[in-house]
Structures are given as structure tokens and as C-alpha cells.
Amino acid sequence: GILSVRLDERTGAIGSVEDTSLVGTIEDTSLALLAMLGAGYTDRGSAKDNRYAKCVRGGLRFLLSVQDVEGSFADRSQAGWLRAHAVATLALSEAYWMTRNPRYKKPAQDGLDLLMRVRTRGAGWGDGSRIGEDDTIMTIWAMLALRSGKYAGLQVDPDALEGVRTLLDARHGSLTPTEQAGAALGRILL
């Protein structure tokens, strides 16, 4: 297969055995979904014509089940919640974009709306460890979700994407090699 994952038949969560926290499970499920969606597998079809349909369907069902009324896919009091939220929003936006299944439209939009509400004053997104400070990698995850939502026809504030471009340009000389790679990807996709 394209990847080896653990599907929890009861919840639909897809994940690793290493991280059993809910935030970790949300992020693992979302990353696995992105791999399958990126390879062209959706929740549609039978096991005969799409051997990953059940896994994608279960993973998407799991994400829908953990989203709260404010649109968050992860408990905002937990470390790493924003990254898990951004990756889940990206996965749901991609699923909506690929399938046009109306079941995914509002949850994806709600996830995007929350991302736009929690931007820092610096036009990026923080990792939660430094209040009010932008984190380049977290900003890239949020930008990817917003970009996917825009392509899917969902509502995205154009100022949010322009703010990311401005932020990445301003930070170029002070980034670590990992952040530089993420920023280069971000500039290409913007």
C-alpha cells in the first residue's frame, strides 16, 4: 500500500502507536488523510475500486466528530492544538475540494474561520509557546489550509494570505534552515 497506518474501527481515527494524545491522534489522522488524498484516494468508491475509501471515510468521520462549535478540531488548552487544527482544516478542505461533498463544506469553512480569527498581530500564527509571537512553520501550515480552502471555493480573507507573504519576506534573513525551506514553499504556493 501507499502507507501503513492504524485505523481505529470504532472512532475512524488513523494514527501511530507512539502518540496516543487526542491532539496527536488528530494530527496523525490528518497527515494520513493528506497522504491518501494527495495520492488521489477519497472516501468514495468500494473496496474493489478504492482500497483506501474506508480508511479515508473513517478518518474524515473522526475529524468531523472532534470539531467543536467554535470550529476547532483540537482542544485549545492542549499543547500543539493549533498545528493539529491547521492540519485537520487542510485535510478537510482538500477532501471538500476533491469530492465536493457538502458534508465537508461547513466544517472546513468553520476551521478556516477559526484560523483567521487566531492570527497574531504579526499576520502569522504562533505555536502557543510564545504568546503573540509568530512561528514560521505554524504559519506555513495555516497558509496551506487557507490556500486549499481558497482553491476549494471557501471564504478566505485575502489579507490573511497577503500578510503571510509580507511576514515571510520580512523574516527571510533570520530563519533557521528548516524555516527557510518552509518559507520557500510558502512563497511558491502564495
Side-chain angles (χ1 to χ4, degrees), residues 129-144:
S129 64
R130 298 177 314 267
I131 303 299
E133 289 187 34
D134 299 318
D135 176 80
T136 303
I137 300 301
M138 183 57 243
T139 296
I140 297 301
W141 277 116
M143 182 274 303
L144 290 170

Side-chain angles (χ1 to χ4, degrees), residues 6-177:
R6 173 185 54 83
L7 170 65
D8 183 323
E9 295 286 340
R10 185 179 51 79
T11 66
I14 307 165
S16 67
V17 293
E18 290 84 35
D19 187 350
T20 58
S21 70
L22 183 57
V23 167
T25 301
I26 291 164
E27 190 169 343
D28 288 348
T29 297
S30 302
L31 290 169
L33 283 169
L34 287 169
M36 288 180 271
L37 292 166
Y41 296 101
T42 68
D43 61 341
R44 297 192 173 165
S46 66
K48 182 179 177 185
D49 42 88
N50 176 358
R51 65 191 214 179
Y52 297 105
K54 180 180 179 182
C55 198
V56 173
R57 211 172 9 258
L60 291 169
R61 187 178 61 243
F62 170 71
L63 291 182
L64 295 175
S65 76
V66 297
Q67 190 176 34
D68 69 20
V69 296
E70 294 180 357
S72 181
F73 290 100
D75 180 346
R76 294 172 76 170
S77 69
Q78 299 296 309
W81 80 269
L82 187 54
R83 186 179 61 227
H85 172 77
V87 179
T89 300
L90 174 58
L92 212 53
S93 293
E94 291 287 311
Y96 175 66
W97 185 15
M98 292 176 72
T99 67
R100 294 297 179 202
N101 186 331
R103 178 183 326 146
Y104 306 137
K105 184 176 183 179
K106 183 177 180 338
Q109 184 64 62
D110 290 348
L112 292 168
D113 291 344
L114 178 62
L115 277 176
M116 290 184 281
R117 284 194 310 270
V118 299
R119 283 180 17 204
T120 66
R121 282 175 279 165
W125 285 263
D127 67 1
S129 64
R130 298 177 314 267
I131 303 299
E133 289 187 34
D134 299 318
D135 176 80
T136 303
I137 300 301
M138 183 57 243
T139 296
I140 297 301
W141 277 116
M143 182 274 303
L144 290 170
L146 294 176
R147 194 72 175 155
S148 176
K150 181 179 176 183
Y151 286 139
L154 300 170
Q155 298 297 308
V156 173
D157 179 359
D159 290 340
L161 292 171
E162 189 53 40
V164 171
R165 181 187 317 276
T166 302
L167 176 68
L168 294 177
D169 289 345
R171 288 233 176 119
H172 181 68
S174 64
L175 301 176
T176 68

